[in-house]
């Protein structure tokens, strides 16, 4: 019997820029010459220990077959995050979870 080992997690991509429009709740991610724009819906879960987000795609560069939204959770202390996208499933890191961890770490969602 031959066992196939899973490839180790890949690091997050470098050269990513984020912009946050707090008034509109819009997160824009620029990466690899592409721009991704999301509407961010935030709620607290687990008695305030977890930030839960829904990111809904508004515009930008998307691949055919990608879902219209992603569910992302971020620990209040930003030690952990999880996203429902293919990138997170493959690398355990993605632009969605990285961007929201940064916003939480900078106090944009301290409630």
């Amino acid at each position: 019997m031959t066992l196939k080992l899973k490839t180790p997690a890949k690091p997050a991509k470098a050269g990513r820029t984020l912009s946050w429009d707090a008034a509109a709740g819009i997160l824009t991610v620029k990466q690899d010459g592409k721009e991704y724009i999301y509407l961010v819906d935030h709620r607290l879960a687990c008695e305030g220990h977890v930030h839960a987000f829904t990111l809904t795609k508004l515009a930008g560069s998307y691949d055919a077959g990608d879902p219209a939204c992603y569910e992302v959770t971020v620990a209040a202390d930003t030690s952990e995050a999880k996203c429902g996208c293919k990138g997170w499933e493959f690398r355990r890191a993605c632009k969605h979870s990285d961007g929201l961890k940064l916003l939480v770490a900078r106090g944009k969602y301290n409630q």
Side-chain angles (χ1 to χ4, degrees):
M1 176 189 253
T2 303
L3 294 176
K4 189 172 183 178
L5 299 177
K6 225 176 174 184
T7 311
K10 291 185 176 183
K13 293 193 175 197
R16 182 183 298 151
T17 60
L18 304 171
S19 71
W20 172 239
D21 180 343
I26 304 292
L27 175 66
T28 303
V29 181
K30 293 180 183 177
Q31 174 180 298
D32 298 332
K34 296 179 182 179
E35 183 174 77
Y36 307 88
I37 303 170
Y38 303 94
L39 176 65
V40 179
D41 178 39
H42 172 253
R43 59 209 173 279
L44 289 174
C46 299
E47 298 178 2
H49 298 289
V50 175
H51 295 272
F53 299 91
T54 301
L55 294 182
T56 303
K57 296 176 185 176
L58 296 180
S61 304
Y62 300 108
D63 295 328
D66 281 352
C69 63
Y70 297 107
E71 298 296 323
V72 183
T73 55
V74 178
D77 65 0
T78 69
S79 62
E80 296 180 52
K82 184 176 182 179
C83 181
C85 76
K86 293 183 288 186
W88 195 91
E89 289 293 324
F90 184 69
R91 289 186 294 282
R92 298 296 190 243
C94 66
K95 60 184 163 273
H96 317 109
S97 62
D98 291 348
L100 292 170
K101 277 176 68 173
L102 183 63
L103 289 177
V104 171
R106 291 188 174 172
K108 304 300 182 188
Y109 283 107
N110 290 339
Q111 297 177 351

